[in-house]
Amino acid sequence: MTGKSPLDDPEAAAFAWARYRRIMRFMFLVTLGLVLIALALLYKFGGEVSVHFYIATALGVGFVMLLASALMGLVFLSSGTGHDESVDNNLPDNRIDED
């Protein structure tokens, strides 16, 4: 049985989601900066490469950074609000017996 989550409170949820959006805005700016740095380094040291290489690099670095940011932000949201503590992990039939 699960307990009541702190995210069930509308005020706490609004605060937590506002914090998550603030983290994501910051990480979007960091991601944009890293993509620009990666493209500048490729242009300086990469030699002659196709424009498709630059597009793939920008999309790859951007996607990975934003996905990692979103997932870590959700972990921070869940942990920071106490949502993790509301889950009951006591499963009596799934214990490993040590001999």
Side-chain angles (χ1 to χ4, degrees):
M1 193 61 151
T2 61
K4 185 169 172 67
S5 171
L7 287 176
D8 292 337
D9 177 29
E11 289 182 21
F15 176 77
W17 285 109
R19 181 174 168 230
Y20 176 75
R21 285 189 293 274
R22 189 171 52 247
I23 290 171
M24 287 306 297
R25 280 193 297 270
F26 173 73
M27 287 309 297
F28 177 76
L29 294 175
V30 170
T31 299
L32 189 62
L34 286 175
V35 166
L36 292 175
I37 289 170
L39 292 178
L41 289 173
L42 281 175
Y43 182 74
K44 184 174 182 179
F45 298 113
E48 286 191 35
V49 293
S50 171
V51 69
H52 299 98
F53 185 72
Y54 291 108
I55 294 170
T57 300
L59 290 175
V61 170
F63 179 74
V64 167
M65 283 293 297
L66 289 177
L67 180 63
S69 302
L71 293 175
M72 285 303 295
L74 289 173
V75 168
F76 293 151
L77 178 127
S78 179
S79 176
T81 59
H83 182 72
D84 292 345
E85 286 81 23
S86 68
V87 176
D88 182 17
N89 286 328
N90 297 325
L91 300 174
D93 295 330
N94 290 337
R95 294 186 188 165
I96 298 174
D97 293 332
E98 295 182 20
D99 295 328

